[in-house]
Amino acid sequence: MNLDLTHKTAIVCGSTQGIGRACAVELALLGANITLMARNEEALKETLTSLDTSKNQSHRYIVVDFASSENVKTAIEAYLSTFPEVHILVNNTGGPASGPIIEATPEQFLKAFEMHLINNQLLTQAVVPSMKRAGFGRIVNIISTSVKQPILGLGVSNTVRWSVASWAKTLSLEITQFGITINNVLPGYTNTNRLASINEQRAQAAGKTVEEINQQLAADVPLRRFAEPEEIAAAVAFLCSPAAAAISGINLPVDGGKTGSL
């Protein structure tokens, strides 16, 4: 099985913590040159030191706040003017705040769409020409199992995740002919700061401890535990590899078997 990404360059968004960081680490282990994207420069510098360089990879970073699509557009254009070759794009952005959908404001929806769908579109438009020239491209979007089964209390997130999945499926019909695949990885409960924050809110609302909430949620997963970021990253890395050339336009849950639909 060909998993070799030597001489390939990957841009990984939200790559200073959690799933994004794990993806950057895994792709580097397969030989890719990594360009990290996130807003905290100190965290970017620290993450850079954790990436494998045993295959003479060159790793870089871009400081950008995904809250502004204009900043994202400016940042990627500036980067490509110096480093025009990109073969892999991992779209990954922190999810919207939790809460019932009936209470969500129009501004919350607009901000969520900007951070996820609009930024994904801008980054993809920027890097696809390079992928076409190379005859090789991999785009992976980290979204959520809510694409398969909406999650109670995450109304805005559920909505925007569905839109990203539909966008990606549509795009796959247009670009796969050029050797460019686009797929969605759907994490379930995963040991990240995002889940910890959500579970703190759940615990407060239910009058329980965070540990009780964690145990309750884990008991609902056939695997009987939360996934680790590295396990999500392994699926992402496979989809980015040459071995996954015939896989495009799919939603891949990595959730320990929890999602109750096919």
Side-chain angles (χ1 to χ4, degrees):
M1 185 184 297
N2 184 3
L3 303 177
D4 185 20
L5 293 177
T6 304
H7 305 308
K8 300 292 192 294
T9 295
I11 294 178
V12 184
C13 303
S15 43
T16 57
Q17 60 182 329
I19 293 170
R21 177 176 176 137
C23 289
V25 169
E26 191 68 29
L27 291 171
L29 287 171
L30 295 183
N33 305 306
I34 306 299
T35 297
L36 308 168
M37 288 189 77
R39 63 184 177 182
N40 186 322
E41 186 166 15
E42 288 306 311
L44 284 163
K45 290 178 179 178
E46 191 278 326
T47 302
L48 210 64
T49 65
S50 70
L51 301 179
D52 180 76
T53 56
S54 63
K55 299 178 180 66
N56 298 313
Q57 302 97 313
S58 297
H59 304 311
R60 306 177 180 90
Y61 65 82
I62 303 170
V63 181
V64 63
D65 188 345
F66 285 86
S68 168
S69 57
E70 191 59 41
N71 286 348
V72 170
K73 186 174 187 294
T74 300
I76 191 63
E77 288 176 352
Y79 171 82
L80 292 174
S81 68
T82 305
F83 306 105
E85 290 189 0
V86 176
H87 308 92
I88 296 164
L89 171 64
V90 179
N91 286 312
N92 173 56
T93 309
S98 60
I101 198 168
I102 193 64
E103 297 176 3
T105 65
E107 290 74 21
Q108 286 178 289
F109 282 104
L110 289 170
K111 181 52 66 177
F113 274 95
E114 180 179 18
M115 290 188 67
H116 295 267
L117 184 62
I118 302 304
N119 284 341
N120 287 3
Q121 173 74 356
L122 290 172
L123 291 171
T124 299
Q125 284 180 322
V127 302
V128 159
S130 171
M131 294 177 177
K132 284 184 177 180
R133 289 194 298 270
F136 179 99
R138 300 287 185 268
I139 301 167
V140 178
N141 309 301
I142 310 298
I143 42 181
S144 168
T145 55
S146 63
V147 167
K148 297 273 190 178
Q149 184 175 320
I151 300 172
L152 189 64
L154 294 178
V156 175
S157 179
N158 293 342
T159 304
V160 74
R161 305 298 192 181
W162 270 80
S163 70
V164 171
S166 179
W167 165 81
K169 182 62 178 179
T170 304
L171 186 58
S172 73
L173 304 176
E174 300 176 2
I175 64 174
T176 304
Q177 62 180 307
F178 301 109
I180 306 169
T181 66
I182 179 166
N183 294 292
N184 304 314
V185 168
L186 318 180
Y189 297 138
T190 308
N191 275 322
T192 62
N193 292 337
R194 163 79 168 165
L195 182 62
S197 175
I198 291 173
N199 285 354
E200 284 178 8
Q201 295 174 25
R202 286 171 170 156
Q204 291 175 1
K208 297 181 178 181
T209 66
V210 172
E211 182 57 32
E212 287 174 324
I213 294 295
N214 288 343
Q215 291 176 356
Q216 176 184 322
L217 295 179
D220 196 34
V221 178
L223 189 60
R224 295 295 185 266
R225 65 171 176 81
F226 298 161
E228 296 300 328
E230 293 76 14
E231 293 172 312
I232 313 300
V236 172
F238 171 72
L239 289 174
C240 291
S241 73
I247 302 174
S248 192
I250 68 161
N251 293 314
L252 175 63
V254 186
D255 63 350
K258 181 184 183 303
T259 302
S261 65
L262 295 175

